[in-house]
Amino acid sequence: EVQLLESGGGLVQPGGSLRLSCAASGFSFSSYDMSWVRQAPGKGLEWVSGITRSDGYTYYAESVRGRCTISRDNSKYTLDLQMNRLRVDDTAIYYCVKHRPGRFRDYFDSWGQGTLVTVSS
Amino acid sequence: QSVLTQPPSVSGAPGQRVTISCTGSSSNIGARYDVHWYRQFPGTAPKLLIYANNNRPSGVPDRFSGSKSGTSASLAITGLQADDEADYYCQSFDSSLSVWVFGGGTTLTV
C-alpha cells in the first residue's frame, strides 16, 4: 500500500523559512515523479512544484518560483520542499503527491494526509 | 481564479443523477490533455476518483463516470447516496502555463 507521510509544517513569520518533508513507502519511489500540491484554507487545489524520478529535473509554479526548492533522496524514499521568503498567501495545507504517467501528462494517484503551513505575524 | 471552471455547488436527492462540469480552453482540456477527477471529504486529503477522462481506479463504483468533449469535461454520479457528499475537483495540464491545473472545486450536497 502506498503511503506518503508529510511533516515539517508549522507557524512561521512572513519572510521566514520552512522545510517540508515527505516519507514515502509501499512503492518503488525512484520510479515515479513526485509533486507538492497545496490548498489554502477553504480554497481549491494548486500544484506547487514537481521533480522527475531519476534525473531530478525540477519545475515550479510561478507563485513559488525562486522561493522554493524541491528535492528528493531516492535512497531514503524522501521528498522535500524548502520554502524561503514565506508570504501570508503561502498559508495552506501542503500535500505530497505521487505521479502516475498518463497518455501525455501525469496525474496524481496517491496523496499524503498533508501538513499545515501557517504564515502569520 | 482557477484555470478550469467548475460550478461552486450542485445538489441532488438520494437516488438521483447529478453532473459536474469542468470547462477549460484550447491550451488544456481542448488540447490533447486528459481530465482527471478527485474527491475530497471534509478534513481529509483528495483522492483520485476518475483518471484519463473516463477510467475508474479499482474500488470506485461504476456509479461514477467521466466524459470529455472539446474544451469541457463532466463527472456524472448516478444513484446518489448521502456519503457522496464531498468536494469534487477536475484536473488537467495547461500547455501555455506549463503547469498542472485544477478546477475550483464543486461541493456536492445530497
Side-chain angles (χ1 to χ4, degrees):
Chain A
E1 179 192 3
V2 172
Q3 289 198 344
L4 301 168
L5 186 61
E6 302 94 336
S7 61
L11 175 63
V12 61
Q13 292 188 338
S17 298
L18 214 54
R19 189 177 186 87
L20 307 183
S21 293
C22 171
S25 62
F27 65 103
S28 178
F29 184 69
S30 61
S31 298
Y32 295 93
D33 292 5
M34 299 290 294
S35 277
W36 291 93
V37 173
R38 69 184 180 183
Q39 185 172 34
K43 303 295 184 182
L45 302 168
E46 179 190 17
W47 174 82
V48 173
S49 178
I51 186 168
T52 56
R53 59 187 181 276
S54 55
D55 58 9
Y57 180 81
T58 59
Y59 32 105
Y60 302 92
E62 189 62 38
S63 57
V64 303
R65 187 174 295 125
R67 300 187 299 117
C68 292
T69 303
I70 190 172
S71 60
R72 66 189 295 163
D73 186 329
N74 287 342
S75 67
K76 295 181 179 179
Y77 275 46
T78 57
L79 175 74
D80 290 339
L81 185 68
Q82 176 67 43
M83 308 174 68
N84 301 323
R85 303 199 305 277
L86 281 161
R87 309 186 305 221
V88 171
D89 62 0
D90 292 318
T91 295
I93 296 173
Y94 286 73
Y95 295 103
C96 169
V97 300
K98 169 181 168 289
H99 286 224
R100 185 81 176 183
R103 269 197 307 163
F104 302 111
R105 286 288 179 172
D106 297 353
Y107 55 98
F108 311 125
D109 69 345
S110 297
W111 298 62
Q113 89 291 344
T115 187
L116 176 62
V117 172
T118 303
V119 184
S120 174
S121 54
Chain B
Q1 187 154 341
S2 302
V3 174
L4 305 180
T5 300
Q6 297 179 235
S9 63
V10 297
S11 63
Q16 284 189 333
R17 176 182 187 269
V18 295
T19 61
I20 299 173
S21 62
C22 176
T23 303
S25 67
S26 58
S27 61
N28 42 68
I29 297 177
R32 55 184 181 171
Y33 303 110
D34 290 333
V35 177
H36 319 285
W37 293 88
Y38 303 86
R39 178 173 61 180
Q40 183 179 35
F41 295 111
T44 69
K47 189 171 183 180
L48 181 65
L49 185 67
I50 295 286
Y51 67 94
N53 307 318
N54 56 12
N55 295 276
R56 287 174 284 107
S58 66
V60 175
D62 60 6
R63 299 188 298 108
F64 296 88
S65 63
S67 63
K68 173 188 164 183
S69 178
T71 58
S72 295
S74 288
L75 172 70
I77 310 172
T78 60
L80 271 179
Q81 301 175 0
D83 57 9
D84 291 332
E85 287 200 339
D87 291 329
Y88 293 81
Y89 292 90
C90 61
Q91 176 252 309
S92 186
F93 185 86
D94 191 285
S95 58
S96 294
L97 301 172
S98 292
V99 297
W100 283 269
V101 290
F102 291 91
T106 299
T107 299
L108 169 63
T109 302
V110 180

